[in-house]
Amino acid sequence: MSVFKGTKLTAALFGESHGEGVGIAVDGLPAGETVDFEELKAFAARRAPGRGDGVTKRKEADETEVLSGMLEGRTTGAPLALFIRNTDTRSADYAGLSRLPRPSHADYAAHIKYGGNNDIRGGGHFSARLTAPLCAAGGIALQILARRGVSVCARLLSVGSVSDFAPFESPGDFAHIKAGGFPVLSRGAEDAFRAEIESARTEADSVGGIVECVVFGLPAGLGGPLFGGIEGKLSHALYGIPAVKGVEFGGGFALAAMRGSDANDAFTVKEGEAVTATNRSGGIQGGITNGMPVVFRAAFKPTPSIGKKQRTVDLQSGEEHDLVIKGRHDPCVALRAVPVVEAVSALAALDLVL
Ligand SMILES: Cc1cc2nc3c(=O)[nH]c(=O)nc-3n(C[C@H](O)[C@H](O)[C@H](O)COP(=O)(O)O)c2cc1C
């Protein structure tokens, strides 16, 4: 089973893209927490396809059913099981893919691992549809964190060769993204990002992107050294998202090209507290929070399913074959992944706080 394993929290995913539905069982949530289901729906809507802004045309109602773990509007402390029914599936689009694995999708690796028994329709259990229950569980974690003064905010930092490095100071800078707006910090960046995605789409191609995430409000002193470090805990959560191929914290890979005198975060005093003047450590030192915002980025590869002709191998005949993929696919998965990054980061952050 695909399981997020925290110290206190675990979240186990189940379901397939074109089966009955997808779901998640979350264990370790604090008892007595209320859930605002309207807010949860609005959060899920940020991930849902069918909004017509550069995402797949699949439309899903994405109503979250609570199967267990809540009574009279409050968590009971027992496992919280959430289920989201599939309502818009077009399995015919996938006929033939069991023989012709899509380059860089999970088809071939899963075919080998499960001896050809895996559900190939819509990517089966490897589909990004599984990010819907992740957003349901993560959305609840976000609400619980908010009551404890912690906000998790993400934005699209780059798509292909276009970037938006607009700085941020507080969760308020992300308010329009949280409200469902295009997930960039400088308004001017939206057109350039859309153009980059549209150019990939018109060429029957796809494009990668980077999502940046910030956790505000974590107190100093959470986490632990070496394997107990926050980087490892967050990476475990982030690499659970399909198509994530890189994760970096603070200055990340760019730190490797710097001198210590440029990279170090000098300490200074602000309102009687020790803070750092810069935050190239991404709020983490020695695997432990230092009280600064925790900042990290996830790199998403281009969507593997593209309309352009590709080469693959026919698993029945063993011969090389051309492949032209039909069906509804996101030209840039990073765009829809912004709330998914918030969701998994919220699970990891809640685990730390608990
Ligand atoms: C939000 C989101 C949407 C995605 N949509 C698609 C899609 O429409 N078509 C596709 O081929 N892959 C899509 N993916 C990526 C695949 O699920 C992923 O590449 C595949 O499962 C293989 O896993 P890997 O890339 O981690 O190796 C999406 C990923 C995310 C996070």
Side-chain angles (χ1 to χ4, degrees):
M1 214 172 194
S2 175
V3 185
F4 162 80
K5 284 194 185 110
T7 308
K8 292 265 171 75
L9 260 190
T10 53
L13 285 164
F14 62 91
E16 295 89 16
S17 179
H18 291 198
E20 280 301 306
V22 287
I24 193 162
V26 190
D27 195 22
L29 285 175
E33 297 286 344
T34 54
V35 176
D36 180 335
F37 282 95
E38 282 308 308
E39 193 181 319
L40 194 63
K41 208 169 161 183
F43 178 64
R46 286 174 51 203
R47 183 217 70 95
R51 291 192 303 156
D53 54 359
V55 302
T56 171
K57 298 285 187 285
R58 178 174 175 170
K59 285 193 169 56
E60 296 280 3
D62 275 358
E63 288 288 345
T64 302
E65 295 171 39
V66 178
L67 302 183
S68 71
M70 285 199 82
L71 185 65
E72 291 166 1
R74 288 180 190 277
T75 54
T76 60
L80 179 75
L82 306 172
F83 188 62
I84 301 168
R85 246 163 241 291
N86 293 330
T87 53
D88 177 24
T89 53
R90 278 197 350 210
S91 302
D93 288 337
Y94 294 84
L97 286 184
S98 52
R99 282 178 60 181
L100 301 174
R102 287 169 291 175
S104 289
H105 210 293
D107 306 342
Y108 176 74
H111 176 85
I112 298 296
K113 182 171 172 72
Y114 303 111
N117 294 295
N118 52 303
D119 183 354
I120 190 80
R121 301 166 305 158
H125 189 57
F126 294 87
S127 165
R129 178 85 186 124
L130 274 290
T131 61
L134 262 184
C135 280
I140 291 173
L142 282 168
Q143 292 184 18
I144 299 173
L145 283 168
R147 279 175 218 135
R148 289 157 172 78
V150 177
S151 309
V152 183
C153 306
R155 56 129 161 205
L156 198 53
L157 189 75
S158 75
V159 169
S161 58
V162 179
S163 301
D164 169 27
F165 293 113
F168 52 81
E169 273 178 11
S170 67
D173 295 325
F174 295 80
H176 63 285
I177 300 178
K178 294 276 184 190
F182 196 82
V184 285
L185 287 190
S186 25
R187 303 290 167 111
E190 177 175 344
D191 288 350
F193 278 7
R194 282 190 189 279
E196 190 81 353
I197 295 171
E198 202 41 41
S199 139
R201 181 211 294 283
T202 50
E203 289 167 28
D205 213 335
S206 62
V207 62
I210 297 175
V211 176
E212 183 171 66
C213 189
V214 191
V215 185
F216 295 96
L218 286 177
L222 296 179
L226 303 154
F227 297 112
I230 294 188
E231 291 103 325
K233 290 179 190 295
L234 277 166
S235 297
H236 165 62
L238 291 162
Y239 280 117
I241 306 174
V244 169
K245 282 293 183 187
V247 172
E248 64 175 12
F249 293 83
F253 278 77
L255 288 172
M258 293 173 82
R259 296 277 177 102
S261 51
D262 292 324
N264 289 352
D265 295 317
F267 284 103
T268 173
V269 178
K270 192 176 168 193
E271 291 161 18
E273 300 270 324
V275 296
T276 61
T278 52
N279 189 19
R280 293 188 191 95
S281 308
I284 308 167
Q285 285 159 344
I288 302 169
T289 51
N290 66 0
M292 298 297 289
V294 173
V295 184
F296 46 94
R297 287 171 283 281
F300 286 83
K301 71 186 195 184
T303 318
S305 301
I306 53 173
K308 268 200 167 137
K309 189 162 83 180
Q310 303 179 83
R311 294 293 280 169
T312 187
V313 167
D314 184 325
L315 295 178
Q316 262 175 26
S317 69
E319 282 168 8
E320 288 186 20
H321 211 284
D322 281 341
L323 175 67
V324 176
I325 298 169
K326 296 195 192 102
R328 303 160 287 181
H329 297 282
D330 294 300
C332 177
V333 303
L335 173 58
R336 273 178 65 205
V338 174
V340 186
V341 168
E342 284 181 9
V344 300
S345 305
L347 287 174
L350 181 59
D351 186 57
L352 282 168
V353 169
L354 292 176

